[in-house]
Amino acid sequence: MMSPISRRVLTDLQVRKSRSQKEAFRAWLCKELEAAGYTPHVENGFAAKNVVAGGPETAKVLFSAHYDTCAVLPFPNFITPRNLFFYLCYQLMLVVPLFLVVAVAEAILIAVIVALKAPALLVLMPFTSIALCGFFVWRLLDGPASRHTANDNTSGVVTLLETALSMPEEHRGEVCFVFFDNEEKGLFGSAAFTRKHKRAKREVLNINFDCVGDGSSLQFFPSKALKRDDETLRRIETAFRGRGGRTVEVVRTFGFYPSDNGAFKRGVGVCALKHKKLIGWYMDRIHTSRDTVLEEENVEILRDGAVALVREL
């Protein structure tokens, strides 16, 4: 079962988007980590404030998750980490309405110019397109906050927090926990962290929990460099075990997961996925009001596996 501390995140602290919301969450998080025996601190980087507990320069493994939350959208950020073709087609499908809106706006502007017999106003056309594109980008990245973030990424925050609380004291010196900021706006938190901590970027094993709450298959996507390290992959497979109808898989063939793990040479992105015959493994609901599912069994499997991995290392 999740601890009362983690349950507080799910019930009261799901929205962490504005400056004040993030500040309040960081203060609360640091207080709880201190009460658990850690010495957390906030690292300021370009456009990001990360919460760090442990020593990045001495750790054998770095566990992470991003704590910032997204803007609510009318459509989900549908991800198929093992089907690149479908993923690209879906992303392209989202861009088509933008071009249609721009085209309609330009057609209306041309009609107005013709009606007014003012060809000089044609100089406004490029600015109209730029303004509309800018609005869509703003709406995507910094629009109204989603009130429901159970999977993206409250599930990752809870998993990371549960792992920190469960880590035996004799192993805490070998681990670093990092709660990244501004993943949703462009992976700024992990970029700032790895610029400052070069050893962690190059050498330390990173396990990044992102959207691990909704799906019965917990899948690990290692970096290209890590796929060549068969011993470490075997240790991950030994430590993280599925149970209760839930499976765990380290993806050694093609697969990608676009999150903070990409900033690390030895990074592993961890997510929960569902399956359909046509598209294969997929993730849905995130970035919408339907992001309300956090399956506690997933958190428990990952928490126990993380503790086991540290013991193994």
Side-chain angles (χ1 to χ4, degrees), residues 67 167 249 267 292:
Y67 70 86
M167 190 63 59
E249 180 182 358
T292 58

Side-chain angles (χ1 to χ4, degrees), residues 108-295:
I108 293 173
L109 181 58
I110 290 174
V112 171
I113 291 171
V114 171
L116 296 176
K117 298 180 180 180
L121 294 179
L122 287 172
V123 297
L124 297 176
M125 297 225 8
F127 297 102
T128 302
S129 301
I130 293 172
L132 285 171
C133 290
F135 171 78
F136 276 103
V137 171
W138 168 83
R139 182 64 180 78
L140 179 67
L141 298 179
D142 208 25
S146 176
R147 312 303 299 179
H148 302 283
T149 67
N151 192 28
D152 186 15
N153 189 30
T154 294
S155 66
V157 170
V158 165
T159 300
L160 190 58
L161 185 53
E162 285 290 295
T163 301
L165 296 175
S166 302
M167 190 63 59
E169 289 190 15
E170 63 267 25
H171 292 307
R172 292 185 178 185
E174 303 168 338
V175 185
C176 182
F177 299 94
V178 186
F179 297 79
F180 288 125
D181 188 12
N182 278 345
E183 186 268 356
E184 297 288 357
K185 292 184 179 179
L187 309 176
F188 289 129
S190 54
F193 181 85
T194 51
R195 277 197 299 269
K196 183 173 183 178
H197 302 286
K198 302 297 184 183
R199 174 185 173 271
K201 176 182 176 67
R202 296 190 307 265
E203 302 176 18
V204 178
L205 174 65
N206 165 244
I207 306 291
N208 184 61
F209 303 117
D210 191 353
C211 300
V212 296
D214 187 9
S216 61
S217 178
L218 293 164
Q219 300 194 10
F220 290 63
F221 292 87
S223 65
K224 182 178 179 180
L226 195 57
K227 284 182 178 180
R228 296 193 290 267
D229 185 350
D230 191 61
E231 180 181 355
T232 298
L233 295 185
R234 283 202 305 268
R235 286 180 172 180
I236 294 173
E237 289 170 335
T238 299
F240 293 88
R241 296 295 185 89
R243 58 178 182 255
R246 298 177 184 279
T247 61
V248 174
E249 180 182 358
V250 175
V251 181
R252 293 172 177 253
T253 56
F254 173 79
F256 64 96
Y257 193 70
S259 188
D260 291 304
N261 47 282
F264 296 85
K265 184 177 181 180
R266 292 169 56 78
V268 184
V270 186
C271 63
L273 299 173
K274 307 170 188 176
H275 190 270
K276 285 185 178 180
K277 287 185 178 180
L278 179 62
I279 60 177
W281 297 104
Y282 72 95
M283 178 189 302
D284 61 352
R285 297 181 181 174
I286 59 174
H287 293 202
T288 71
S289 60
R290 297 178 63 235
D291 184 2
T292 58
V293 178
L294 196 165
E295 299 169 9

